[in-house]
């Protein structure tokens, strides 16, 4: 079947969905464009002029993109003082809208306030403060090594912003997954259009109405759009696109970006393996795996997607996992205030269908009206079962039996490279061997999710699980063009004469002596 729009199937993918809705560009506040967050009252609506201009060109966003590009070309976003002011405004957004964020995420997916504060506020503030603490150092020219010819010259890398960037965020962590990239994009000196997910409607509304009240509306905009509008948005030339979502939608984003040769970061997902060796502390494994799998009701791109272990370990894990689930959520998790819900009906039905895999050893209860799926463990799952054919993105944990570590490694390596890989063992040699013999976006030994909390560790996928990385300085670097610069002395032309015609063997010998890089530790035999 021919598809008229590359986004016409987005609503079938996880975790990004883009159902059709009215075009809206947000950014009208009073006082307009103050970017102070002090008493600003924000309203929804399209920007007059920007949309009219765009309509004239046949694209409703052309005017908006042009306006932001003009602001970037003016140099407004380049001074460190400006960047710091906008980043501090983001800090006020998090502080002043803390309760609104907790309430919006609770309304959207009954996200527990503890999980929402930790993932949507605390980790974002860590990213923000790490950036503010280091921005002056990150922005500085990086002076590089010279050869003999350039000893009196200046050789450096200039940290330039890309220009106008687009950030498309998913619904599972609707604040964190747009705000952390935005922090880096602002820190790098870019103008930014943010497209939050409309699947989490309450959070989208909060972002669209509140965020423009804190940022400079000349340089930053929030766009809410559906399938048709997002397709139109991507027709515009951006200088960088940052997308978080599924591999299938990532391909669509990359195809749209290729038309303008726009660089992209794709933060995707996949099936993250968790190998549990026979030599480990079972109770600790159960608690750490259960927390990682059922945090946010399993709707986490780095959650352990399935366990690989021996038959004996499967038998030991079952009571330990049951005990951990009861400890976390009580005898009836549906009544627990600490267990979230599936974000939408479509996602609920997709995840519920995966319960047919293997046998339900723990949980399995569902309530479609509440979009509730109990913390569930599936035993004796076969590689051909439905739960092993796609990223689960829900509170279901399959266990696949393997005979040995070697078989587990072969199983992992026979599949697409995951976003995260987990291994549990009291034997550090086992952890190291799995690390050395596999490939993944990230790796965590004897725990789950915790590597994502470190701003010092770059986060990103490899192959099918993503392209590019961010967090901490890596976010700044992602949105920065590292511009190679050589500033030469206007004098000393005698040295330059070595490279000018007419050529001679003598010139070539002198040129080689001044330009050649020799391997260290090597000697020349005469």
């Amino acid at each position: 079947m021919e598809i008229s729009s590359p986004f016409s199937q987005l609503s079938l993918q996880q975790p990004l969905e883009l159902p059709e809705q009215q075009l809206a560009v947000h950014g009208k506040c009073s006082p307009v464009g103050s970017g102070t967050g002090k008493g600003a009252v924000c309203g929804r609506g399209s920007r007059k002029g920007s949309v009219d201009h765009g309509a004239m060109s046949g694209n409703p966003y052309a005017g908006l993109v042009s306006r932001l590009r003009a602001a970037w070309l003016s140099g407004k976003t380049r001074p460190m003082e400006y960047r710091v002011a906008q980043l501090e405004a983001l800090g006020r957004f998090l502080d002043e809208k803390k309760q609104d964020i907790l309430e919006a995420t609770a309304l959207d997916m009954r996200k527990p306030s503890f999980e929402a504060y930790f993932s949507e506020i605390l980790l974002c503030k860590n990213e923000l403060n790490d950036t503010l603490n280091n921005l002056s150092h990150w922005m500085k020219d990086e002076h590089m090594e010279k050869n003999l010819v350039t000893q009196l010259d200046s050789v450096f890398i200039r940290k330039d912003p890309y220009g106008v960037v687009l950030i498309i965020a998913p619904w599972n962590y609707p604040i964190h997954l747009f705000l952390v990239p935005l922090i880096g994009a602002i820190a790098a000196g870019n103008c930014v259009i943010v497209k939050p997910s409309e699947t989490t409607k309450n959070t989208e509304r909060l972002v669209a109405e509140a965020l423009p009240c804190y940022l400079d509306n000349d340089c930053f905009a929030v766009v809410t759009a559906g399938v048709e509008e997002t397709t139109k948005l991507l027709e515009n030339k951006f200088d960088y696109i940052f997308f978080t979502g599924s591999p299938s939608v990532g391909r669509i984003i990359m195809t749209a970006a290729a038309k303008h040769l726009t660089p992209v970061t794709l933060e995707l997902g996949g099936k993250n393996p968790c190998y549990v060796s026979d030599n480990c502390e079972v109770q600790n494994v159960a608690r750490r795996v259960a927390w990682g799998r059922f945090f946010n009701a399993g709707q986490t791109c780095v959650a352990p997607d399935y366990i690989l272990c021996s038959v004996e370990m499967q038998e030991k894990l079952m009571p330990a996992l049951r005990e951990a689930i009861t400890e976390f959520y009580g005898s009836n998790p549906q009544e627990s205030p600490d267990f979230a819900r599936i974000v939408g009906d479509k996602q609920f039905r997709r995840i519920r269908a995966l319960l047919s895999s293997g046998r339900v050893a723990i949980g399995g209860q569902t309530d479609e009206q509440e979009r509730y799926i109990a913390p569930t463990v599936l035993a004796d799952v076969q590689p051909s079962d439905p739960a092993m054919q796609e990223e689960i993105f829900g509170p279901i944990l399959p266990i696949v039996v393997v005979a040995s570590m070697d078989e587990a490694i072969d199983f992992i390596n026979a599949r697409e490279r995951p976003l995260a890989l987990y291994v549990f063992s009291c034997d550090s040699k086992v952890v190291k061997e799995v690390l050395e013999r596999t490939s993944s976006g990230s790796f965590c030994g004897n725990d789950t999710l915790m590597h994502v909390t470190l701003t010092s560790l770059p986060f990103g996928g490899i192959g099918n699980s993503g392209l590019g990385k961010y967090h901490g300085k890596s976010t700044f670097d992602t949105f920065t063009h590292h511009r190679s610069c050589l500033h030469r002395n206007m004098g000393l032309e005698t040295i330059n004469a070595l490279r000018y015609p007419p050529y001679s063997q003598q010139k070539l010998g002198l040129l080689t002596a001044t330009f050649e890089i020799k391997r260290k530790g090597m000697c020349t035999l005469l």
Side-chain angles (χ1 to χ4, degrees):
M1 180 178 66
E2 185 176 349
I3 300 173
S4 58
S5 166
F7 275 84
S8 60
Q9 290 187 326
L10 285 188
S11 61
L12 302 178
Q13 312 299 338
Q14 294 292 328
L16 178 70
E17 295 193 353
L18 301 169
E20 294 186 15
Q21 63 180 55
Q22 283 293 97
L23 155 71
V25 180
H26 307 269
K28 290 201 170 185
C29 293
S30 178
V32 176
S34 65
T36 63
K38 295 179 181 178
V41 178
C42 195
R44 297 178 67 119
S46 300
R47 283 191 166 275
K48 293 181 180 178
S50 293
V51 173
D52 290 344
H53 179 199
M56 291 172 62
S57 70
N59 188 294
Y61 295 100
L64 173 65
V65 176
S66 296
R67 180 171 61 80
L68 264 63
R69 189 171 303 284
W72 178 72
L73 289 171
S74 74
K76 186 176 185 180
T77 62
R78 287 179 176 262
M80 187 180 75
E81 295 76 14
Y82 177 86
R83 305 182 198 192
V84 168
Q86 298 302 303
L87 291 171
E88 288 176 342
L90 286 183
R92 290 193 294 274
F93 166 75
L94 285 172
D95 289 336
E96 296 172 11
K97 298 300 179 182
K98 169 188 168 182
Q99 192 57 40
D100 293 332
I101 291 170
L102 298 180
E103 290 174 1
T105 53
L107 287 170
D108 284 328
M109 50 202 307
R110 232 185 83 171
K111 187 173 290 197
S113 61
F114 182 99
E115 293 184 1
Y117 179 80
F118 178 65
S119 60
E120 309 282 16
I121 298 174
L122 178 60
L123 292 184
C124 289
K125 292 187 76 171
N126 286 350
E127 290 282 344
L128 184 62
N129 291 335
D130 183 53
T131 300
L132 287 167
N133 290 341
N134 293 286
L135 183 57
S136 61
H137 174 67
W138 294 347
M139 286 180 62
K140 287 180 180 177
D141 289 346
E142 187 177 347
H143 293 279
M144 310 304 290
E145 291 184 6
K146 308 174 187 179
N147 59 21
L148 188 60
V149 177
T150 57
Q151 284 302 307
L152 299 180
D153 304 325
S154 182
V155 179
F156 59 97
I157 295 174
R158 172 60 53 88
K159 312 295 178 62
D160 277 351
Y162 272 104
V164 180
V165 307
L166 171 65
I167 296 172
I168 301 178
W171 51 259
N172 54 327
Y173 293 93
I175 298 294
H176 182 110
L177 292 177
F178 90 80
L179 196 55
V180 173
L182 178 60
I183 289 167
I186 291 175
N190 298 283
C191 290
V192 188
I193 293 177
V194 173
K195 196 300 186 180
S197 172
E198 71 292 338
T199 299
T200 42
K201 295 185 181 302
N202 294 284
T203 311
E204 180 207 36
R205 186 181 304 113
L206 170 63
V207 172
E209 294 179 357
L211 190 65
C213 300
Y214 291 85
L215 296 177
D216 181 352
N217 296 168
D218 291 334
C219 301
F220 309 102
V222 177
V223 167
T224 56
V227 175
E228 278 187 41
E229 293 79 19
T230 303
T231 304
K232 289 290 186 183
L233 180 62
L234 282 164
E235 290 174 358
N236 292 277
K237 177 177 171 50
F238 291 96
D239 300 299
Y240 204 98
I241 297 176
F242 190 105
F243 167 78
T244 304
S246 69
S248 55
V249 182
R251 292 183 180 92
I252 296 172
I253 300 294
M254 203 167 185
T255 299
K259 294 178 182 177
H260 299 288
L261 296 179
T262 300
V264 297
T265 288
L266 303 176
E267 295 296 336
L268 310 177
K271 297 187 72 63
N272 305 313
C274 178
Y275 173 61
V276 181
S277 77
D278 288 337
N279 181 14
C280 63
E281 297 180 13
V282 178
Q283 301 299 326
N284 291 348
V285 172
R287 289 164 59 86
R288 297 178 191 187
V289 171
W291 178 73
R293 174 71 274 183
F294 303 124
F295 191 94
N296 199 33
Q299 298 164 114
T300 305
C301 61
V302 289
D305 195 89
Y306 61 94
I307 288 178
L308 294 169
C309 67
S310 66
V311 175
E312 294 77 16
M313 179 51 63
Q314 178 179 248
E315 295 306 311
K316 293 177 183 178
L317 272 175
M318 284 305 173
L321 285 168
R322 185 176 289 107
E323 182 180 341
I325 291 169
T326 302
E327 179 186 348
F328 293 170
Y329 309 112
S331 57
N332 183 5
Q334 190 169 3
E335 297 177 353
S336 171
D338 300 321
F339 188 70
R341 295 298 185 263
I342 305 304
V343 71
D345 295 335
K346 189 181 301 179
Q347 292 87 345
F348 171 86
R349 290 189 290 270
R350 181 191 64 83
I351 297 167
R352 182 177 60 183
L354 302 180
L355 293 172
S356 61
S357 305
R359 61 179 174 87
V360 175
I362 301 171
Q365 300 84 6
T366 66
D367 184 332
E368 186 166 6
Q369 185 174 359
E370 275 195 31
R371 299 196 302 274
Y372 166 78
I373 296 178
T376 299
V377 179
L378 303 177
D380 301 324
V381 175
Q382 299 301 311
S384 58
D385 285 340
M388 294 303 296
Q389 306 310 308
E390 60 181 281
E391 183 179 3
I392 291 173
F393 226 70
I396 298 174
L397 180 64
I399 298 180
V400 178
V401 170
V402 291
S404 64
M405 178 189 68
D406 288 338
E407 187 176 328
I409 291 173
D410 290 342
F411 189 94
I412 294 167
N413 288 339
R415 285 154 179 79
E416 296 282 6
R417 288 182 282 185
L419 183 58
L421 193 156
Y422 303 104
V423 56
F424 286 85
S425 180
C426 291
D427 186 347
S428 61
K429 292 181 180 178
V430 172
V431 176
K432 290 178 181 178
E433 187 162 359
V434 174
L435 173 59
E436 290 174 0
R437 294 173 57 190
T438 59
S439 176
S440 60
S442 57
F443 177 91
C444 185
N446 293 330
D447 210 339
T448 61
L449 307 192
M450 290 301 292
H451 60 293
V452 180
T453 67
L454 297 170
T455 59
S456 58
L457 284 179
F459 176 80
I462 181 172
N464 200 65
S465 61
L467 173 67
K469 55 187 181 294
Y470 73 123
H471 286 191
K473 185 176 183 296
S474 294
T475 318
F476 175 85
D477 288 340
T478 285
F479 290 104
T480 296
H481 169 55
H482 291 68
R483 190 178 183 185
S484 301
C485 301
L486 169 63
H487 185 185
R488 299 219 66 198
N489 190 302
M490 275 298 293
L492 303 173
E493 191 64 5
T494 303
I495 297 176
N496 293 319
L498 293 174
R499 71 180 198 262
Y500 299 152
Y503 302 131
S504 68
Q505 282 300 119
Q506 183 184 19
K507 281 187 175 182
L508 183 58
L510 291 170
L511 196 71
T512 300
T514 54
F515 277 92
E516 185 179 22
I517 297 175
K518 294 183 179 180
R519 183 175 175 184
K520 293 180 180 179
M522 297 293 288
C523 62
T524 303
L525 296 176
L526 300 177

